[in-house]
């Protein structure tokens, strides 16, 4: 078993669940999709939150 799956971090699980809830496309193999999302979470989480912050800062600058 890969070391990543031995003790998953709560933050990564929350990130994956949030990403899955925002997905609006049809997933045919949910097990494989979820496994891939968990496997890739450590590398994609930082970009996800960076884009959220950039979006919020842009809205604040525009006065929205």
């Amino acid at each position: 078993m890969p070391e990543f799956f031995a003790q998953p971090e709560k933050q990564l699980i929350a990130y994956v669940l949030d990403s899955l809830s925002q997905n609006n496309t049809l997933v045919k193999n949910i097990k494989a999709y979820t496994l891939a999302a968990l496997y890739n979470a450590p590398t994609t989480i930082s970009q996800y939150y960076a884009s959220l912050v950039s979006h919020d800062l842009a809205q604040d600058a525009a006065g929205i």
Side-chain angles (χ1 to χ4, degrees):
M1 177 175 274
E3 190 175 311
F4 169 75
F5 293 110
Q7 294 181 0
E9 296 180 23
K10 291 180 184 179
Q11 184 181 15
L12 292 176
I13 300 294
Y15 160 67
V16 169
L17 290 175
D18 186 44
S19 297
L20 289 174
S21 70
Q22 293 180 8
N23 181 21
N24 58 3
T25 59
L26 178 65
V27 177
K28 293 183 180 184
N29 187 347
I30 191 67
K31 184 177 179 180
Y33 187 85
T34 306
L35 187 62
L38 285 168
Y39 183 79
N40 292 320
T43 55
T44 59
I45 193 170
S46 61
Q47 181 59 35
Y48 173 77
Y49 285 116
S51 67
L52 283 179
V53 169
S54 295
H55 180 265
D56 289 344
L57 289 175
Q59 284 187 341
D60 287 345
I64 298 174

